[in-house]
Amino acid sequence: MKLVILGGGGFRVPLVHGALLRDTADRRVTEVVLHDTDVARLDVMRRVLAAQAAQAAQTAGGQGLPAAPPTVTATTDLDAALAGADFVFSAMRVGGLEGRTADERIALDLGLLGQETTGPGGVGYGLRTVPVALDVATRIRDLAPDAWVINFTNPAGLVTQAMQSVLGDHVVGICDSPLGLAKRAAGALGHDLDDLEIDYAGLNHLGWLTALRRDGRDLLPDLLADETALAAIEEGHLFGPDWLRTLGSLPNEYLYYYYFTRDAIGQITAAPQTRGEYLLDQQAAFYAGVAGAPDEAWQRWDAVRRERNATYMQETRETDDGEAHERAEADVEGGGYEGVALALMAAIARDEPARLILNVRGGGAVAGLPDDAVVEVPCRVDARGPVPVAVSPLPGHALGLVQQVKAVDELVIRAAVEQSRSLAVEAFALHPLVDSVTVARQLVTAYERRLPDFYASLG
């Protein structure tokens, strides 16, 4: 099978490649095509993947891998990459890390949350990403009409919904946050997640784990009542046990930006760099370093990966004394989304049933949202694709937030398609983390000035 990775020069590509190297079943991916607009990054990533395959073979005892590793090629020609694809993994970053730093700084300069997918940054990111995603979807329809698209491009729910307007349910969005949350909760309860029924609902980066059931009994109240166990997991550090008990659920980590908005703005503002600026410097050094010392490609990538994971959402882990608690070792080793992607591909290509939390057309799965709204819910997946399972209704406060953010997502898609400045202003203004129509207008003006290549077409 042929897998195309869009954003193939991106830093996280080896996570997907590593999962493919470990996959030894029949009907596996045998060809990987990396597509990117940056030739230099593609060259570096090819070196890293070659070193990764050699490392995997050496680890296997010098006998080679149980199955031949997939061939890896790279191209800047999108049509050539897509032709005949079985799966397309979309991990594009339209505007690059420079765009991400703009998403963060434009908002912060106006006193708002500066974060790449949540709040005004997510709106700005979506406005420049949707046109590219729709063009890609059209080309997939023409060149690989039977392909399944696995979308990790952020804002993942919004982009998935836009691409579904062209490709229908063959576009599935993935994220590692919900599954990581459920695994931590199950582990704190002393259970394997495979033995539990997950009740989780919302949108990408905006969902709640409302129950974990075993033989029909909800175990989540046991965790919420256990101060020690609750305080030991990431969500306990992030939100505090008292707030989690008040909610009666475990929120996705990105809800920190809604529940503790002022705290987050203060923490981000006080840091010497935003997350995007940190990654921009880190990755510039990494790609230059590999280009200058290609024999160290794998070691450099692995070291940077660990550092990157250890500092993920670091501003949310700051304690009262100004220190930040360390992430759990399992989270630092991390990744996660590559496992979701491989399980999704295996379920579809080999009819290996799986239970995954995915971004799919809800079909009424989340009460209070339109049937065609893309939501993030547990799904059963087989050769026919994912099917949402029944989830509990969200409580009023959560549903209201989800409905408002979903309305903003739909405005972003319309604004991008219609190249409408007024719709872009409306999308910013109606986001719950933007507190003024005046500020919404200032946001659009700031984007037009800072990134004119992407926003000058807004009429």
Side-chain angles (χ1 to χ4, degrees):
M1 293 193 302
K2 177 180 178 179
L3 169 65
V4 178
I5 302 180
L6 306 179
F11 183 80
R12 301 178 83 177
V13 168
L15 297 175
V16 178
H17 184 243
L20 297 176
L21 290 175
R22 296 187 292 271
D23 183 22
T24 61
D26 293 332
R27 287 286 296 162
R28 60 193 290 272
V29 171
T30 55
E31 178 185 2
V32 175
V33 179
L34 308 179
H35 173 269
D36 207 296
T37 58
D38 189 321
V39 175
R41 287 168 67 95
L42 277 176
D43 184 62
V44 166
M45 201 45 57
R46 287 182 65 184
R47 293 179 184 275
V48 173
L49 298 194
Q52 183 181 33
Q55 174 77 10
Q58 183 178 11
T59 302
Q63 303 301 314
L65 296 169
T71 62
V72 177
T73 58
T75 181
T76 57
D77 186 329
L78 180 59
D79 287 354
L82 292 174
D86 296 289
F87 289 93
V88 178
F89 188 89
S90 178
M92 305 178 293
R93 181 176 285 280
V94 178
L97 284 171
E98 293 82 359
R100 175 173 179 168
T101 63
D103 294 329
E104 295 165 342
R105 282 298 174 191
I106 287 172
L108 288 170
D109 288 347
L110 291 168
L112 304 174
L113 175 74
Q115 209 281 329
E116 65 161 337
T117 66
T118 302
V123 174
Y125 193 4
L127 285 169
R128 68 175 178 273
T129 302
V130 166
V132 177
L134 289 174
D135 178 63
V136 167
T138 300
R139 297 196 197 189
I140 293 171
R141 182 191 63 196
D142 295 340
L143 297 166
D146 296 325
W148 285 84
V149 178
I150 302 173
N151 179 57
F152 191 71
T153 296
N154 277 321
L158 185 160
V159 172
T160 298
Q161 184 156 327
M163 295 184 78
Q164 282 193 354
S165 69
V166 178
L167 296 169
D169 291 332
H170 267 230
V171 184
V172 182
I174 66 170
C175 183
D176 48 359
S177 291
L179 195 60
L181 164 59
K183 284 181 176 178
R184 287 189 291 273
L189 287 163
H191 290 280
D192 189 297
L193 186 59
D194 291 339
D195 298 330
L196 303 178
E197 175 191 347
I198 304 169
D199 200 339
Y200 179 98
L203 308 178
N204 181 240
H205 292 178
L206 190 71
W208 294 259
L209 181 68
T210 56
L212 277 174
R213 299 186 185 91
R214 180 177 174 85
D215 300 326
R217 177 176 174 264
D218 183 12
L219 304 181
L220 191 58
D222 296 345
L223 176 56
L224 292 171
D226 188 331
E227 184 83 13
T228 301
L230 193 59
I233 65 172
E234 188 71 15
E235 288 67 30
H237 290 297
L238 196 58
F239 299 101
D242 288 344
W243 182 240
L244 295 178
R245 282 192 287 269
T246 296
L247 293 174
S249 62
L250 296 185
N252 184 291
E253 58 199 346
Y254 282 84
L255 273 152
Y256 180 86
Y257 297 120
Y258 291 90
Y259 292 141
F260 295 91
T261 310
R262 291 194 183 197
D263 309 71
I265 293 171
Q267 291 156 357
I268 295 170
T269 303
Q273 292 178 300
T274 66
R275 178 66 172 174
E277 289 163 348
Y278 165 80
L279 291 176
L280 185 63
D281 289 347
Q282 184 197 58
Q283 291 199 20
F286 163 73
Y287 284 98
V290 172
D295 291 345
E296 300 175 9
W298 173 250
Q299 293 86 345
R300 286 176 178 266
W301 180 84
D302 193 49
V304 172
R305 173 193 66 86
R306 289 184 57 82
E307 181 182 34
R308 175 188 174 119
N309 286 351
T311 57
Y312 175 68
M313 290 184 74
Q314 184 167 331
E315 74 277 3
T316 66
R317 299 197 308 278
E318 187 175 292
T319 59
D320 292 338
D321 59 4
E323 298 296 323
H325 75 265
E326 298 295 323
R327 291 190 79 197
E329 183 65 19
D331 292 334
V332 172
E333 282 301 319
Y337 83 97
E338 71 279 4
V340 178
L342 188 65
L344 178 59
M345 287 192 289
I348 293 171
R350 302 198 289 258
D351 200 18
E352 296 179 3
R355 294 184 304 156
L356 301 168
I357 301 175
L358 301 169
N359 287 267
V360 296
R361 194 189 310 266
V366 178
L369 290 180
D371 287 353
D372 63 350
V374 167
V375 297
E376 192 166 74
V377 291
C379 298
R380 291 188 299 271
V381 193
D382 57 23
R384 296 166 295 181
V387 177
V389 303
V391 294
S392 300
L394 289 171
H397 67 89
L399 178 60
L401 187 55
V402 163
Q403 288 174 324
Q404 188 171 1
V405 172
K406 176 53 67 176
V408 170
D409 285 354
E410 293 171 348
L411 281 168
V412 170
I413 294 171
R414 285 186 57 203
V417 170
E418 299 176 28
Q419 298 183 342
S420 169
R421 192 179 196 277
S422 63
L423 287 174
V425 170
E426 185 179 358
F428 278 115
L430 294 183
H431 197 285
L433 294 179
V434 177
D435 56 7
S436 166
V437 176
T438 300
V439 172
R441 294 180 179 131
Q442 293 170 340
L443 284 163
V444 174
T445 299
Y447 271 103
E448 290 170 330
R449 290 174 177 169
R450 182 157 179 171
L451 299 172
D453 290 347
F454 296 104
Y455 301 96
S457 61
L458 292 176

